[in-house]
Amino acid sequence: MVIKTATFVKSSGKWQDCPEPTIPEYAFIGRSNVGKSSLINAMMNHKDLAKTSQTPGKTQLINHFLVNESWYLTDLPGYGYAKVSKSIRKDFEKLITNYILNRRNLVNLFVLVDSRHKPQAIDLDFIQWCGESGVPFSIVFTKVDKLKPNVVIKNVEDYKAELHKTWEDLPELYVTSAEKKVGGEEILNFIQKTNEFLVNNNVSFDE
């Protein structure tokens, strides 16, 4: 997929305030400091489309971007904040879950995990929740440029082994690096093929 245009549309504090759900939407989520904004910017060939920060948890709203005038890319708040109060964390969790469960044009959720770490309980719990809730999703390993190739392979295999304890079939897996621009094209190709399928099958998001 060639990115011709990528523009910020709006930030929403609740899912009901999101743009009209008339076109396909693909959302990105992960723990704070997983490299979500950097990956989005790399994929869109835009240095600061999504705001990056050294402070985890910078994204606190649902941010919509219109890509190629035909689909939405959504930057969601992270889960598992370490430096916010429990009440604020619950507000974020409510915002995220309400969006994911109610946004009828959400075609796929890309769940980002840091390739440098062993499977984290918070990621596994969120992935399990997606499965139990019937949410279509893919897993995206980030920051692979920080590791040697053989370590990346081992860490991904360890993750797959952990998932296979409760999953028979695994979702799509992507290995990415925002810095080296690795993996983003594969994600965009998936989005393009999915959008073509939706068009060819006259899929509508109208209620």
Side-chain angles (χ1 to χ4, degrees), residues 180-194:
K180 301 293 184 181
K181 292 197 173 183
V182 171
E185 187 172 344
E186 285 78 7
I187 294 174
L188 290 173
N189 287 341
F190 166 81
I191 292 173
Q192 181 174 3
K193 289 179 181 178
T194 304

Side-chain angles (χ1 to χ4, degrees), residues 96-129:
I96 292 166
T97 55
N98 282 340
Y99 163 84
I100 293 172
L101 296 178
N102 291 290
R103 189 69 170 162
R104 65 176 183 267
N105 63 327
L106 177 62
V107 177
N108 196 72
L109 181 67
F110 292 97
V111 181
L112 277 57
V113 296
D114 194 326
S115 66
R116 300 173 298 175
H117 305 309
K118 293 180 179 179
Q120 304 289 303
I122 191 169
D123 291 324
L124 295 171
D125 288 347
F126 183 77
I127 289 169
Q128 188 67 26
W129 176 82

Side-chain angles (χ1 to χ4, degrees), residues 149-161:
N150 61 318
V151 178
V152 172
I153 293 171
K154 181 183 183 304
N155 287 3
V156 171
E157 289 302 316
D158 287 348
Y159 220 100
K160 289 165 67 175

Side-chain angles (χ1 to χ4, degrees), residues 5-193:
T5 58
T7 55
F8 172 74
V9 178
K10 68 178 297 189
S11 296
S12 306
K14 53 185 179 180
W15 73 270
Q16 293 95 330
D17 294 336
C18 292
E20 284 297 309
T22 55
I23 57 177
E25 187 157 308
Y26 300 84
F28 289 73
I29 193 170
R31 283 184 297 118
S32 51
N33 205 32
V34 75
K36 175 167 51 73
S37 297
S38 296
L39 179 61
I40 290 172
N41 290 336
M43 289 172 53
M44 297 294 106
N45 293 315
H46 199 304
K47 189 169 69 172
D48 54 5
L49 185 70
K51 302 303 180 185
T52 59
S53 173
Q54 295 301 314
T55 304
K58 183 69 173 178
T59 304
Q60 299 182 4
L61 298 169
I62 302 169
N63 296 308
H64 274 83
F65 304 91
L66 179 62
V67 183
N68 290 350
E69 303 292 327
S70 61
W71 58 277
Y72 286 127
L73 185 156
T74 308
D75 184 6
L76 292 174
Y79 52 80
Y81 297 95
K83 296 184 178 180
V84 298
S85 68
K86 287 184 178 180
S87 61
I88 293 177
R89 190 178 302 136
K90 284 185 177 180
D91 287 342
F92 286 145
E93 290 172 356
K94 184 178 179 181
L95 175 65
I96 292 166
T97 55
N98 282 340
Y99 163 84
I100 293 172
L101 296 178
N102 291 290
R103 189 69 170 162
R104 65 176 183 267
N105 63 327
L106 177 62
V107 177
N108 196 72
L109 181 67
F110 292 97
V111 181
L112 277 57
V113 296
D114 194 326
S115 66
R116 300 173 298 175
H117 305 309
K118 293 180 179 179
Q120 304 289 303
I122 191 169
D123 291 324
L124 295 171
D125 288 347
F126 183 77
I127 289 169
Q128 188 67 26
W129 176 82
C130 287
E132 292 173 353
S133 302
V135 177
F137 72 99
S138 307
I139 298 175
V140 179
F141 294 92
T142 63
K143 303 184 180 183
V144 298
D145 56 282
K146 309 295 184 185
L147 300 170
K148 293 180 179 179
N150 61 318
V151 178
V152 172
I153 293 171
K154 181 183 183 304
N155 287 3
V156 171
E157 289 302 316
D158 287 348
Y159 220 100
K160 289 165 67 175
E162 187 65 33
L163 289 172
H164 271 304
K165 292 179 181 179
T166 52
W167 292 74
E168 184 174 347
D169 297 315
L170 298 184
E172 290 285 331
L173 303 176
Y174 298 93
V175 175
T176 69
S177 164
E179 188 171 319
K180 301 293 184 181
K181 292 197 173 183
V182 171
E185 187 172 344
E186 285 78 7
I187 294 174
L188 290 173
N189 287 341
F190 166 81
I191 292 173
Q192 181 174 3
K193 289 179 181 178

